[in-house]
Amino acid sequence: MSQEPVAPQPGASESGGFKSVMTWRGIGEERLEQVRVTVTGKRIKAYGRIIGAATDKHEAFSASYDLITNDAGVTKRLSLHLVRAGGDTQISITRDGQDAWLVQSARGMERSDFGGAQDVDLALSPFFNTLPIRRLGLGKPDSGPAEVPVAYLYLPSGEVTPATLSYTPAAAGIDIVSPVAQTTITVDENGFVVNYPGLAERV
């Protein structure tokens, strides 16, 4: 990615605004994710890219994404360009005014409520965990556990299915149970993941 890093403003918080470029390195796999985020209150605009080398579990791939939420932090749209050896795939996940999700992909158009989801989660991405963490204030000392339904986009298959993630604030961070992991993540003061054991760490 070509953007120059822009450090968060001093004292930036969930109620403030800032711009930043963040990078995560895969743990145990050759994978990088970099995202440029613009934060205004709970509203997030993000442009990112994940590049993963082939492993015994999946083929090599590149996934570029463009995300925007509304002022409450609820996902409005995720556009993703997925590149694999077999070709390119465009996937669009949009939340309409009736709280339904429209998924456009090579498989056609699908409409679903995804179990009442307000967030999209992208497999192999620590960034997307930030969406419910900031929206629900899960990084705050007085926050409680939350069951978070999501529209879950698997990589590199491009399949989109309903899923539920469990977030429980703990002394060492936030305990998380997802379709692909059960661990304790740590976040910074703005709710962005610093370390996701077994998946990625910020560099």
Side-chain angles (χ1 to χ4, degrees):
M1 294 174 62
S2 60
Q3 294 95 334
E4 290 297 321
V6 182
Q9 297 173 359
S13 66
E14 186 175 297
S15 60
F18 62 88
K19 296 180 180 180
S20 183
V21 172
M22 303 179 195
T23 305
W24 291 268
R25 176 177 55 210
I27 296 174
E29 294 183 359
E30 296 297 327
R31 186 181 63 253
L32 283 175
E33 177 179 12
Q34 188 173 80
V35 57
R36 184 180 191 276
V37 296
T38 301
V39 175
T40 307
K42 290 188 175 182
R43 182 182 180 90
I44 293 178
K45 293 182 179 180
Y47 175 74
R49 187 176 188 184
I50 302 174
I51 300 174
T55 71
D56 58 355
K57 297 179 181 179
H58 61 74
E59 63 182 313
F61 72 93
S62 171
S64 300
Y65 60 81
D66 191 352
L67 170 92
I68 184 168
T69 76
N70 65 16
D71 291 339
V74 176
T75 298
K76 292 176 62 178
R77 184 186 71 251
L78 171 68
S79 300
L80 183 133
H81 181 205
L82 179 61
V83 179
R84 296 166 293 183
D88 296 13
T89 302
Q90 299 283 348
I91 302 171
S92 173
I93 306 176
T94 305
R95 194 167 188 266
D96 67 18
Q98 298 177 331
D99 297 335
W101 295 89
L102 300 176
V103 180
Q104 178 71 54
S105 69
R107 299 179 177 90
M109 176 73 77
E110 175 189 0
R111 189 174 191 270
S112 172
D113 68 354
F114 289 106
Q118 295 186 307
D119 305 290
V120 173
D121 201 327
L122 185 61
L124 303 180
S125 167
F127 164 72
F128 278 78
N129 295 106
T130 290
L131 302 179
I133 289 172
R134 285 184 57 86
R135 182 172 61 80
L136 300 173
L138 297 176
K140 295 180 178 179
D142 58 348
S143 59
E147 297 293 313
V148 181
V150 299
Y152 199 89
L153 199 167
Y154 286 88
L155 291 177
S157 71
E159 181 183 10
V160 183
T161 66
T164 299
L165 280 69
S166 173
Y167 291 86
T168 305
I174 300 175
D175 295 340
I176 182 172
V177 179
S178 79
V180 297
Q182 180 173 349
T183 189
T184 300
I185 64 175
T186 57
V187 300
D188 64 19
E189 67 274 13
N190 296 305
F192 290 89
V193 174
V194 175
N195 186 39
Y196 194 131
L199 179 69
E201 59 186 357
R202 208 158 86 196
V203 295

